[in-house]
RNA sequence: GGCCCCGUGGUGUAGUUGGUUAACACACCCGCCUGUCACGUGGGAGAUCGCGGGUUCGAGUCCCGUCGGGGCCGCCA
């Protein structure tokens, strides 16, 4: 007797059919004579009725929650007054003729049945640690299963689209050398070569570039990547990228193709139509308007320059910042903020590097607050302020002032419950190629050292490196960076120049990625690409609180897996084989 | 490396200014009940309050440490 249907797939049309179902007991209701069992599989629930004189009765009587059953019976239409409109299969029920307990189950450590009845799921409030320890039960919950299936649909849509566009999927190795992404590597000791190590890839970056040298022309991969850094709600040590690379293209080609890909994915996986093209926002403008290189453009509250307001004011704290080359930026909160709110916002500003958050309120009776005596009401109104608002200011170095105020902007939106809905994709483009590392006193790459500058900016590499724009871009969705890429350097001379600017000696470059530099010498085509943070993408698509919710078996903030208890000690024998010794 | 929050039956919570039988809901077990669908109903079992130490006549409650979980900064695209 094989299964004939999924429980959740039965409908009125199946009335009269003899069916065999296999699934889990979602809920059992014993009325003393009649027994009802809501049988569950991945497609949903169906009510099974067991009559006292049925041969199925004894087993139904013994069944408990999460027992695994095989039921055969007849689909029967329910009388009008017994239709359950909460249930997709609510117009029918299955009258059991036989019922077999395929396996018993212990009572689960947390409730997993409610989500299938369309109610608020109490498991959403169960500690995540417990859910991870019993992840196989957690994944029985409808919400979690839905996310697994969303992930499947998204990856399927990516494959379909890129295949149709002429891309070739290529797998690159897990056991490899360190790639220059700048994060800490996970290392794997070599048994055959004592004292040497593989590194797990932080991204397939160099391999995909070498695939371009190979003439693959259009490559993609759903690539697992590994970075040994501290975890966050949106960061796991192993995570998944959609990685792609194209030859003979410029930025516009990559943006255009990725926009169509995103639109295809949203259409296929969510049924959502996205308007194309996505806005393209230069980095400097994103910073000036939103104080972020990943702006949430679903709401306004834009930042604005306030240098002039303070240039001639008596507010010395700001004046001195301006005189030493800093900037003042402001933000108009559309509310008269309380002391408590202002304190919270200042806390946010400080946490992100600002010295403080200055504020002034404007109203029919003029200005009030600490800045009131330093500012002219007319000047502030000329700046844009109207009655009932609170103007917030930060003065600091350009990027510090903007980043801090950008965070204040986000906190303010939360505080005021600003409406944030929709799917706001955009490209942040024209990133600086280099950024000054004040700790090490040298220029360092913002993306990675293989990122190409704009041709016309190359002369600036010597004269004013900070002004060089990279042909690099990020894909941003609702304030999250969901992808990043660049046109790569394909000529060895420019690559050498880059290492020189970065202060990386030729010998060191040769030692670290000589194999790759060599590849550039053999006719590397112009090329570029992008990688999507697939987990972040999915978390946003499914409104998950963290990427852990879209990763089947994620790790906790301390990098542990409560299910397997990894990482774990290994035997002395294993260590010896790998030529390793633990040093306390 | 740093800042902040949390830790009470299986689960989620409550627990006065420290006061002795640690409460409630759901789940679980047993009985009754033939149309329920969050079934109903009667009964029952189950936590020494993450762990260790301290203060106190007395600690779930206060203090210190530690472990675990979470958010963030640093770090990381």
């Amino acid at each position: 007797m094989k299964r004939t249907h999924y429980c959740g797939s039965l409908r009125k049309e199946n009335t009269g059919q003899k069916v065999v179902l296999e699934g889990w007991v979602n809920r059992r209701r014993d009325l003393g004579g009649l027994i009802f069992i809501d049988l569950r599989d991945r497609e949903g629930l169906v009510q099974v009725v067991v009559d006292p004189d049925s041969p199925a009765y004894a087993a139904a009587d013994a069944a408990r929650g999460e027992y695994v059953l095989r039921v055969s019976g007849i689909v029967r239409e329910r009388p009008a007054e017994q239709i359950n409109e909460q249930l997709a299969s609510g117009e029918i029920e299955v009258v059991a003729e036989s019922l077999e307990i395929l396996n018993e189950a212990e009572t689960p450590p947390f409730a997993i049945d409610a989500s299938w009845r369309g109610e608020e799921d109490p498991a959403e409030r169960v500690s995540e640690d417990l859910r991870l320890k019993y992840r196989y039960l957690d994944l029985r919950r409808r919400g979690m299963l839905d996310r697994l299936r969303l992930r499947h649909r998204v990856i399927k849509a990516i494959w379909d689209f890129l295949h149709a566009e002429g891309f070739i999927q290529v797998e690159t190795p897990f056991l490899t050398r360190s790639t220059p992404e700048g994060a800490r590597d996970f290392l794997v000791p070599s048994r055959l070569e004592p004292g040497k190590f593989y590194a797990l890839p932080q991204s397939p970056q160099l391999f995909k570039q070498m695939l371009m040298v190979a003439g693959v022309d259009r490559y993609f991969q759903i690539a697992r990547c590994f970075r040994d850094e501290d975890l966050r709600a949106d960061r796991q040590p192993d995570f998944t990228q959609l990685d792609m690379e194209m030859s003979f293209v410029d930025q516009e080609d990559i943006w255009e193709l990725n926009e169509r890909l995103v639109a295809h994915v949203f259409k296929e996986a969510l049924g959502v139509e996205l308007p194309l093209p996505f806005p393209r926002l230069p980095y400097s403008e994103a910073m000036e308007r939103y104080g972020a290189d990943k702006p949430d453009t679903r709401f306004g509250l834009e930042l604005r320059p306030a240098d002039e307001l303070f240039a001639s004011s008596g507010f010395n704290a700001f004046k001195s910042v301006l005189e030493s080359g800093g900037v003042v930026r402001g933000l108009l909160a559309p509310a008269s903020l309380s002391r408590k709110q202002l304190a919270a916002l200042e806390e946010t500003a400080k946490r992100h590097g600002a010295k403080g958050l200055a504020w002034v309120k404007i109203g029919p009776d003029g200005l009030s607050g600490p800045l009131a005596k330093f500012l002219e009401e007319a000047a502030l109104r000329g700046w844009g302020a109207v009655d009932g608002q609170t103007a917030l200011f930060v003065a600091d170095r350009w990027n510090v002032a903007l980043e801090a105020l950008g965070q204040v902007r986000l906190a303010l939106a939360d505080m005021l419950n600003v409406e944030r809905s929709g799917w706001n994709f955009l490209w942040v483009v024209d990133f600086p190629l280099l950024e000054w590392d004040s700790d090490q006193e040298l220029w360092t790459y913002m993306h990675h050292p293989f990122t190409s500058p704009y041709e016309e900016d190359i002369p600036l590499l010597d004269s004013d490196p900070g002004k060089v724009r990279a042909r690099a871009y990020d894909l941003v969705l609702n304030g999250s960076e969901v992808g990043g890429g660049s046109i790569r350097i394909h000529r060895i001379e420019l690559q050498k120049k880059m290492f020189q600017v970065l202060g990386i000696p030729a010998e060191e470059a040769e030692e670290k990625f000589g194999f790759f530099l060599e590849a550039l010498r053999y006719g590397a085509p112009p090329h570029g690409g992008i990688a999507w943070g697939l987990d972040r993408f999915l978390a946003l698509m499914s409104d998950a609180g963290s990427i852990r919710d879209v990763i089947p078996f994620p790790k906790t903030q301390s990098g542990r897996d409560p299910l397997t208890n990894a990482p774990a000690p290994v035997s002395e024998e294993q260590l010896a084989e790998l030529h390793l010794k633990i040093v306390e």
Side-chain angles (χ1 to χ4, degrees):
Chain A
M1 259 200 328
K2 291 274 185 179
R3 178 171 67 188
T4 60
H5 295 78
Y6 280 117
C7 303
S9 70
L10 291 176
R11 295 292 180 275
K12 202 157 93 179
E13 298 76 67
N14 301 102
T15 302
Q17 292 177 4
K18 182 173 166 64
V19 296
V20 179
L21 306 173
E22 293 173 311
W24 287 260
V25 176
N26 195 67
R27 199 89 179 185
R28 175 176 164 279
R29 291 178 295 280
D30 182 350
L31 303 206
L34 272 184
I35 294 175
F36 294 100
I37 290 174
D38 292 337
L39 200 63
R40 180 187 74 234
D41 58 29
R42 65 178 216 195
E43 302 301 326
L45 300 182
V46 70
Q47 172 165 282
V48 174
V49 198
V50 188
D51 217 54
D53 46 20
S54 161
Y57 191 79
D61 193 43
R64 292 292 182 273
E66 300 308 314
Y67 274 33
V68 187
L69 306 185
R70 177 186 295 135
V71 175
S72 68
I74 305 289
V75 178
R76 180 168 73 189
E77 203 170 338
R78 288 153 80 149
E81 69 276 12
Q82 284 171 16
I83 286 173
N84 183 344
E85 292 180 0
Q86 316 298 332
L87 223 54
S89 65
E91 288 186 291
I92 50 99
E93 62 191 0
V94 174
V95 184
E97 291 179 340
S98 75
L99 190 154
E100 186 183 349
I101 293 177
L102 300 178
N103 206 350
E104 303 181 351
E106 293 190 12
T107 304
F110 53 89
I112 56 189
D113 58 309
S115 61
W116 291 94
R117 288 183 253 121
E119 297 161 37
E120 192 188 339
D121 185 355
E124 290 291 336
R125 282 180 288 125
V126 170
S127 89
E128 196 179 358
D129 197 34
L130 189 70
R131 288 173 45 209
L132 291 181
K133 182 172 179 189
Y134 297 95
R135 190 59 153 181
Y136 44 86
L137 298 180
D138 193 36
L139 293 174
R140 276 185 199 168
R141 295 165 50 226
R142 183 175 207 162
M144 293 306 290
L145 189 59
D146 283 348
R147 290 199 178 98
L148 285 186
R149 299 179 84 161
L150 173 70
R151 193 173 181 117
H152 171 81
R153 288 199 306 278
V154 165
I155 291 174
K156 165 83 162 56
I158 289 170
W159 266 85
D160 289 347
F161 181 91
L162 291 178
H163 172 76
E165 291 285 331
F167 281 73
I168 297 174
Q169 188 274 158
V170 181
E171 288 148 275
T172 53
F174 273 21
L175 296 176
T176 178
R177 276 185 78 110
S178 172
T179 45
E181 290 290 320
R184 191 178 296 115
D185 284 316
F186 278 102
L187 297 176
V188 179
S190 164
R191 174 177 58 85
L192 297 172
E193 296 197 40
K196 293 188 180 174
F197 295 83
Y198 301 100
L200 301 180
Q202 295 180 30
S203 88
Q205 182 64 32
L206 296 183
F207 286 103
K208 69 174 173 179
Q209 291 193 239
M210 290 188 291
L211 288 170
M212 295 303 101
V213 179
V216 168
D217 196 78
R218 293 183 155 207
Y219 140 93
F220 85 101
Q221 181 181 194
I222 304 296
R224 192 62 69 84
C225 304
F226 306 87
R227 292 176 188 170
D228 188 7
E229 296 291 347
D230 287 358
L231 292 82
R232 288 284 192 285
D234 62 353
R235 274 160 37 185
Q236 283 275 305
D238 63 306
F239 62 101
T240 306
Q241 289 185 171
L242 160 61
D243 192 48
M244 72 170 86
E245 197 78 3
M246 305 161 78
S247 291
F248 307 108
V249 293
D250 209 332
Q251 299 186 102
E252 281 290 346
D253 302 304
I254 292 170
W255 300 341
E256 190 271 337
L257 180 120
N258 273 271
E259 287 169 353
R260 287 191 292 115
L261 172 55
V262 171
H264 177 76
V265 166
F266 266 66
K267 183 82 192 349
E268 293 297 310
L270 291 183
V272 169
E273 300 268 5
L274 294 175
L276 299 184
F278 300 154
R280 282 124 208 225
L281 201 61
Y283 168 81
S284 55
E285 189 183 336
M287 291 297 291
E288 282 286 357
R289 291 172 58 192
Y290 301 102
D293 60 3
K294 46 182 167 62
D296 188 342
T297 58
R298 290 174 300 172
F299 64 101
L301 293 178
E302 293 189 19
L303 317 187
R304 54 184 77 186
D307 305 300
E308 286 175 20
L309 274 180
F310 289 90
S312 57
S313 79
F315 192 51
N316 288 327
F318 277 22
K319 230 169 129 179
S320 62
V321 169
L322 287 170
E323 279 160 8
S324 62
V327 301
V328 183
R329 293 295 181 265
L331 169 60
L332 280 170
S336 181
L337 300 173
S338 69
R339 287 275 173 183
K340 198 177 165 188
Q341 290 174 315
L342 286 161
L345 292 174
E346 173 155 42
E347 175 64 31
T348 299
K350 282 182 169 171
R351 188 160 5 101
H352 289 89
K355 311 272 190 310
L357 184 68
W359 56 272
V360 62
K361 292 185 189 181
I362 189 159
D365 303 327
L367 306 183
S368 60
L371 282 178
K373 61 178 178 233
F374 298 108
L375 292 172
E376 297 291 335
E377 181 174 346
L380 196 62
R381 289 188 186 278
W383 188 68
V386 299
D387 286 353
Q389 292 187 325
T390 310
L392 307 164
F393 300 97
V394 172
D396 215 302
R397 297 200 318 273
W398 183 80
N399 60 326
V400 174
L402 285 167
E403 278 171 29
L405 210 51
Q407 294 292 333
V408 169
R409 172 178 176 266
L410 294 175
L412 184 64
D414 280 342
M415 197 175 269
L416 302 178
N417 285 315
V418 171
E419 167 75 11
R420 278 191 261 185
S421 60
W423 304 105
N424 279 34
F425 279 97
L426 64 108
W427 293 101
V428 175
V429 304
D430 296 353
F431 277 84
L433 183 68
L434 302 161
E435 112 192 291
W436 181 249
D437 182 338
S438 47
D439 288 344
Q440 299 190 54
E441 303 238 308
L442 47 76
W443 290 100
T444 179
Y445 48 85
M446 207 156 165
H447 188 60
H448 56 55
F450 309 105
T451 302
S452 170
Y454 277 85
E455 285 290 326
E456 60 267 34
D457 289 359
I458 290 177
L460 292 170
L461 277 173
D462 294 311
S463 55
D464 194 354
K467 283 260 162 49
V468 178
R469 290 166 304 154
R471 290 197 278 173
Y473 34 84
D474 279 355
L475 180 61
V476 174
L477 168 58
N478 295 352
S480 288
E481 181 202 328
V482 293
S486 64
I487 299 298
R488 329 296 182 185
I489 295 170
H490 67 283
R491 283 178 291 118
I492 188 73
E493 296 76 22
L494 185 56
Q495 189 62 65
K496 284 181 174 169
K497 178 73 187 170
M498 269 297 284
F499 286 136
Q500 180 203 319
V501 173
L502 292 167
I504 299 174
E507 312 81 67
E508 187 185 331
E510 191 59 36
E511 150 69 22
K512 276 188 176 162
F513 17 77
F515 65 97
F516 174 70
L517 299 177
E518 191 172 23
L520 290 185
R521 299 174 196 274
Y522 287 93
H527 64 283
I530 191 169
W532 296 11
L534 195 65
D535 309 299
R536 285 184 190 175
F537 219 95
L538 289 161
L540 289 166
M541 289 180 83
S542 61
D543 199 27
S546 87
I547 64 170
R548 293 186 297 272
D549 279 335
V550 297
I551 296 175
F553 300 99
K555 290 167 186 61
T556 67
Q557 196 169 62
S558 57
R560 282 183 355 97
D561 173 12
L563 174 56
T564 64
N565 250 318
V570 296
S571 69
E572 286 298 325
E573 291 72 27
Q574 260 183 306
L575 287 176
E577 239 172 18
L578 295 169
H579 323 283
L580 292 180
K581 191 173 285 177
I582 304 298
V583 179
E584 287 306 325

